[in-house]
């Protein structure tokens, strides 16, 4: 599967967020969805030196559907940008 979206940061420290977007590859063989909506809450923590890790939960509300816990890493390419931990 692949996904794309926009991350809404909820707090000033950018620890909590919700990803709104679309995802491909969801559904069984009889119920294949080309593009499904995505609303994924997440939590970010600083690893130091401008790097962070984020864990997100991609929930599929259908009965018996797969749930995904996603771990990602983030960093800034602009070293002049202010770092928030």
């Amino acid at each position: 599967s692949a996904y794309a979206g926009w991350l809404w940061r909820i707090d000033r420290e950018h620890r909590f967020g919700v990803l709104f977007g679309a995802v491909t590859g969801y559904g069984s063989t009889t119920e294949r969805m080309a593009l499904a909506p995505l609303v994924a809450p997440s939590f970010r923590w600083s690893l130091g030196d401008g790097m962070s890790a984020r864990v997100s939960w991609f929930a599929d509300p259908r009965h018996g559907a797969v749930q995904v816990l996603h771990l990602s890493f983030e960093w800034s390419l602009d070293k002049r940008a202010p770092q928030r931990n």
Side-chain angles (χ1 to χ4, degrees), residues 24-84:
T24 63
Y26 275 69
S28 68
T29 55
T30 60
E31 183 193 345
R32 181 67 58 188
M33 290 185 282
L35 202 57
L38 172 65
V39 178
S42 67
F43 177 77
R44 172 190 165 272
W45 66 96
S46 176
L47 300 174
D49 196 30
M51 290 197 62
S52 300
R54 182 177 299 276
V55 64
S56 305
W57 178 43
F58 291 20
D60 191 334
R62 296 172 300 164
H63 180 68
V66 173
Q67 309 299 313
V68 176
L69 193 60
H70 183 264
L71 177 64
S72 58
F73 296 96
E74 305 171 351
W75 63 91
S76 174
L77 297 176
D78 185 0
K79 295 298 182 186
R80 297 170 298 160
Q83 301 297 316
R84 294 189 175 165

Side-chain angles (χ1 to χ4, degrees), residues 9 61 81:
R9 294 179 176 108

